[in-house]
Amino acid sequence: MHLTDTEFWHDLMHGIVGPRQGGARIIIDSEDASTGVGKTGLSVYLALLLCRAFGYQIDQDDLTLSGAAYLDRWREHPGAEQPSVIILDELGGAGAGQARRAMSGQNVDLSNAWQLMRKKRIVTIVTLPHWSKADKSLRKQADYRLWCLREPIGYFRPYKVGATFNDGNIQTRGYDDVDRIRFPNMDENGSPVYNYLDEQKDELLESGYFDADKLEGEEQDDETDNTLTDNDKEHIKHMAESTGATQTEIADVYDIDRSTVSKIKNEAL
């Protein structure tokens, strides 16, 4: 059975384009926390299907390993008029949303962003080895858990995430129409979205940090120091605060990364 013919897909789309007109929070993990089972590929495949379904053009700014970059992009995304998609890959391993960071400001910000999902119809797709690696508040707010099978590779089982009636404990419920759902190998398909995320992971591994937020911060510092004058920074602040231009649009004007615009804007606060 194709993914778009399943109860999971119809449930997901009903929440986005049905009467609720909302977004969705999807966590993708794997059996026995296995690697190499296609979690990133599934995230890309699902994102592309969703973008096709509701007419959203995904770009590189929608693909990140950094929790900080995710939050910046979340703020830029369209409002209730347009559903959209963001992939936050390697939620635990790259430093964002980890259970061990449960009291961190970033986890609070991620949780708040998810609570405000109805203000912006964003479908957030996150991947991590096992969903216990995510902070509990994020797991409680998730709508779906997609569990990639160790064997055969290229299949997953969907679960609806909810809470018990009396004490609010997290519970998951499977779907009865299908035991497992197949998805393609996006690496072999040469998907540019997949390739971009793969390049980000290679860069993170080479950095030695294993923390995408730290790596992005270093890149911001280098880029800001080397390419922008003080007048440039003042103009970027003005554009960000007064013109209504998005950070991506400003970044295109100066041929810099969107995260650099975010840093300069925040320095003005």
Side-chain angles (χ1 to χ4, degrees), residues 5-269:
D5 295 323
T6 64
E7 289 183 13
F8 156 67
W9 176 262
H10 294 300
D11 197 12
L12 172 61
M13 290 302 298
H14 182 71
I16 298 168
V17 299
R20 188 172 70 89
Q21 296 284 296
R25 296 147 294 198
I26 301 170
I27 292 178
I28 298 176
D29 68 335
S30 62
E31 182 179 2
D32 296 332
S34 301
T35 59
V37 295
K39 296 186 296 293
T40 299
L42 174 57
S43 73
V44 170
Y45 178 58
L46 180 59
L48 294 176
L49 287 177
L50 288 166
C51 288
R52 186 186 309 160
F54 46 67
Y56 178 72
Q57 180 63 50
I58 197 167
D59 64 30
Q60 290 184 353
D61 287 338
D62 299 319
L63 316 169
T64 185
L65 278 68
S66 162
Y70 166 82
L71 289 168
D72 285 340
R73 188 58 175 160
W74 188 93
R75 297 181 185 102
E76 291 180 351
H77 263 230
E81 74 282 357
Q82 172 63 58
S84 56
V85 180
I86 305 177
I87 296 176
L88 176 52
D89 202 14
E90 303 292 350
L91 178 71
Q98 295 182 44
R100 64 180 175 83
R101 289 187 176 182
M103 298 306 293
S104 73
Q106 185 180 96
N107 265 349
V108 172
D109 289 343
L110 284 168
S111 180
N112 288 340
W114 281 19
Q115 286 181 15
L116 294 170
M117 190 62 67
R118 292 190 66 182
K119 298 291 184 181
K120 296 195 174 191
R121 295 165 67 193
I122 299 172
V123 179
T124 297
I125 305 173
V126 302
T127 73
L128 72 172
H130 192 273
W131 94 322
S132 63
K133 295 292 185 181
D135 178 61
K136 185 177 180 180
S137 66
L138 299 178
R139 283 180 276 138
K140 288 187 87 169
Q141 292 184 66
D143 297 299
Y144 301 95
R145 176 186 180 186
L146 308 184
W147 193 56
C148 291
L149 301 182
R150 185 174 58 187
E151 292 182 359
I153 292 175
Y155 288 86
F156 75 95
R157 289 178 184 153
Y159 296 88
K160 178 74 173 175
V161 180
T164 56
F165 182 77
N166 288 322
D167 50 23
N169 288 331
I170 302 168
Q171 63 178 5
T172 56
R173 175 184 59 82
Y175 287 85
D176 296 329
D177 63 322
V178 62
D179 178 61
R180 62 191 186 188
I181 302 171
R182 183 173 177 79
F183 61 95
N185 185 326
M186 302 305 290
D187 186 13
E188 290 184 354
N189 287 353
S191 165
V193 175
Y194 180 90
N195 290 340
Y196 179 76
L197 281 169
D198 206 38
E199 289 168 4
Q200 286 195 69
K201 284 188 273 194
D202 287 342
E203 186 177 351
L204 185 64
L205 288 170
E206 291 172 3
S207 73
Y209 296 147
F210 302 103
D211 189 326
D213 291 339
K214 183 175 180 179
L215 178 61
E216 175 142 332
E218 183 180 83
E219 290 175 344
Q220 289 174 4
D221 291 341
D222 290 345
E223 188 172 24
T224 302
D225 292 342
N226 294 335
T227 66
L228 299 174
T229 67
D230 289 341
N231 285 337
D232 289 335
K233 295 176 188 178
E234 287 300 320
H235 189 234
I236 288 171
K237 291 177 185 178
H238 171 73
M239 290 180 70
E241 295 170 356
S242 305
T243 68
T246 68
Q247 292 180 13
T248 300
E249 291 168 341
I250 298 170
D252 288 343
V253 170
Y254 283 90
D255 194 26
I256 57 177
D257 190 87
R258 177 199 50 76
S259 58
T260 301
V261 178
S262 176
K263 182 189 176 194
I264 294 170
K265 177 184 176 183
N266 291 335
E267 286 175 349
L269 299 179

